[in-house]
Amino acid sequence: MTDVPVDLDKHRGMAAQKATDLRRALAEVESNVRQLREREADLENRLMTVPAASWAEAAVKARYLLNLYAASLPAEDTRHRALVTALFDDFARLGGDS
């Protein structure tokens, strides 16, 4: 017995190596999606439980919600997309953002 680990991937055929790579990539993507959902849930809980102390903080909450809404709009709904964009422009103008 040796202390050097054996790289089993070298002993597999090309198809098996590709299948293993795909399984590893899928597992990584699923882990990232799970982490993202947990962070989104944490953010949404904080947005719901912590009251805004200023109009700027309220606008941050509104931006988040509008982004969720805009993401759910069908691509052909240009009217509502334009309305959301106009509102973001208003937030930037009134908030002094550049």
Side-chain angles (χ1 to χ4, degrees), residues 26-86:
L26 179 60
E28 183 180 354
V29 167
E30 288 172 346
S31 173
N32 290 341
V33 167
R34 186 176 51 256
Q35 291 174 3
L36 177 60
R37 285 188 181 139
E38 290 170 358
R39 289 195 318 260
E40 283 176 337
D42 180 52
L43 172 64
E44 289 172 359
N45 285 334
R46 288 194 287 169
L47 289 174
M48 283 188 291
T49 58
V50 178
S54 67
W55 281 106
E57 289 180 11
V60 168
K61 290 181 179 187
R63 279 188 186 104
Y64 178 78
L65 190 58
L66 285 168
N67 277 320
L68 290 178
Y69 170 69
S72 70
L73 289 173
E76 58 273 1
D77 192 352
T78 57
R79 183 171 181 229
H80 285 147
R81 288 183 180 281
L83 184 58
V84 169
T85 300

